[in-house]
């Protein structure tokens, strides 16, 4: 059973297009995240969602928007794609109870986005 | 805001040797978690080991152990009896435990570890 899944795993598109990456977790976690890994392998948090509420929003362009239809899903929509958006995007999930971290983060397999 | 520094971009050792990857961090928080993640060429992020800052005892997981020095803000990873399958990028990561992990993980830039046969 896949704990955190992402689709698609590879995405090649033209500049200016709008695209979405889907993420689903079957772990019953209540917090989900999106991370970006750039060409130098540097990983940085983009968004965090808990119970459909955006918790943090790092300084990412507003062309990026997370959408969570339910606790098990956190999709990433990207509008007007730019060359610099090319990267690997990771979804992750974790569980918390109140203010305590209940578990470590589980990562999806990543989506390699290439903007031409 | 916290920062995580990995000063070794790349390391190479022979199979069966012991290798230590260094990590330092900077934070004003008193309660936090530290992690080492492994990323093989498959790009899957795999948790290697975790350490709660309030625990003085260093975490161990089979061939992997850490040297956690809270006062020095140092969190190194030791891999004993290294194997070819240990070849991967290794990331040190920090998470503030206050807020239940809402801040997400702060990663270092990674160390590319190569195990030579």
């Amino acid at each position: 059973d896949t704990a955190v899944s992402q689709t698609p795993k590879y995405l090649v598109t033209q500049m200016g297009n709008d695209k979405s990456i889907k993420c689903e977790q079957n772990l019953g976690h209540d917090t989900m995240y999106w991370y970006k890994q750039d060409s130098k392998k540097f990983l940085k948090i983009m968004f965090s969602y808990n119970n459909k509420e955006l918790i943090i929003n790092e300084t990412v362009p507003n062309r990026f928007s997370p959408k969570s239809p339910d606790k098990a899903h956190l999709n990433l929509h990207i509008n007007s794609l730019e060359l610099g958006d090319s990267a690997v995007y990771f979804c992750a999930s974790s569980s918390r109870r109140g203010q305590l971290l209940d578990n470590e983060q589980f990562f999806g397999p990543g989506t390699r986005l290439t903007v031409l | 805001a916290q920062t995580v520094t990995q000063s070794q971009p790349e390391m190479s050792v022979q199979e069966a040797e012991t290798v230590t990857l260094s990590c330092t961090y900077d934070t004003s928080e008193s309660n936090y978690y530290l992690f080492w993640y492994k990323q093989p060429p498959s790009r899957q992020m795999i948790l290697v080991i975790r350490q709660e800052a309030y625990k003085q005892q260093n975490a161990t997981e089979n061939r992997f152990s850490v040297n956690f020095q809270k006062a020095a803000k140092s969190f190194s990873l030791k891999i004993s009896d290294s194997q070819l399958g240990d070849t991967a990028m290794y990331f040190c990561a920090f998470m503030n435990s206050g807020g239940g992990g809402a801040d997400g993980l702060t990663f270092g830039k990674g160390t590319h570890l190569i195990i030579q046969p």
Side-chain angles (χ1 to χ4, degrees), chain B residues 51-69:
Chain B
Q51 174 84 40
E52 290 91 341
Y54 65 84
K55 289 187 178 179
Q56 291 187 342
Q57 187 173 5
N58 290 326
T60 61
E61 288 287 343
N62 301 314
R63 298 183 295 109
F64 299 88
S65 62
V66 298
N67 183 2
F68 173 48
Q69 302 288 329

Side-chain angles (χ1 to χ4, degrees), chain A residues 9 33 35 37 96 105 110, chain B residues 37 39 43 95 99 101-102 105:
Chain A
K9 289 189 178 173
Y33 310 83
Y35 291 86
Q37 185 173 39
R96 68 173 188 169
Q105 290 188 19
Chain B
Y37 278 89
Q39 187 179 40
R43 81 167 180 245
M95 177 182 279
L105 292 162

Side-chain angles (χ1 to χ4, degrees), chain A residues 102-113:
Chain A
D102 193 47
N103 213 331
E104 73 267 16
Q105 290 188 19
F106 290 80
F107 282 80
T111 295
R112 181 178 292 280
L113 170 65

Side-chain angles (χ1 to χ4, degrees), chain B residues 4 10 21 27 43 50 53 63 68 72 101 105-106:
Chain B
V4 178
E10 186 169 289
L21 280 58
T27 184
R43 81 167 180 245
R50 64 181 280 180
R63 298 183 295 109
F68 173 48
L105 292 162
T106 298

Side-chain angles (χ1 to χ4, degrees), chain B residues 68-83:
Chain B
F68 173 48
Q69 302 288 329
K70 189 172 183 179
K73 295 181 180 173
S74 171
F75 183 60
S76 62
L77 174 70
K78 185 171 85 170
I79 306 174
S80 303
D81 186 27
S82 57
Q83 301 173 359

Side-chain angles (χ1 to χ4, degrees), chain A:
Chain A
D1 276 350
T2 303
V4 182
S5 60
Q6 291 179 231
T7 53
K9 289 189 178 173
Y10 298 92
L11 182 55
V12 181
T13 188
Q14 298 289 328
M15 237 179 4
N17 284 349
D18 302 338
K19 289 294 178 186
S20 296
I21 305 172
K22 295 184 177 180
C23 177
E24 178 181 3
Q25 55 94 5
N26 61 7
L27 298 166
H29 288 168
D30 55 9
T31 305
M32 296 181 73
Y33 310 83
W34 277 105
Y35 291 86
K36 178 181 179 180
Q37 185 173 39
D38 63 23
S39 59
K40 295 183 179 179
K41 303 285 190 181
F42 184 55
L43 278 150
K44 189 172 181 181
I45 182 86
M46 298 178 71
F47 301 104
S48 166
Y49 249 78
N50 176 265
N51 290 329
K52 297 189 180 182
E53 215 172 322
L54 180 64
I55 298 172
I56 61 169
N57 184 346
E58 289 291 311
T59 54
V60 299
N62 58 13
R63 299 181 294 102
F64 290 79
S65 56
K67 302 239 189 288
S68 180
D70 55 57
K71 271 177 57 173
H73 296 84
L74 182 65
N75 303 325
L76 183 64
H77 297 272
I78 316 169
N79 295 324
S80 303
L81 278 156
E82 300 178 358
L83 294 176
D85 298 333
S86 294
V88 178
Y89 292 85
F90 286 95
C91 176
S93 72
S94 67
S95 176
R96 68 173 188 169
R97 305 202 186 285
Q99 293 298 305
L100 295 176
L101 181 65
D102 193 47
N103 213 331
E104 73 267 16
Q105 290 188 19
F106 290 80
F107 282 80
T111 295
R112 181 178 292 280
L113 170 65
T114 303
V115 182
L116 303 174

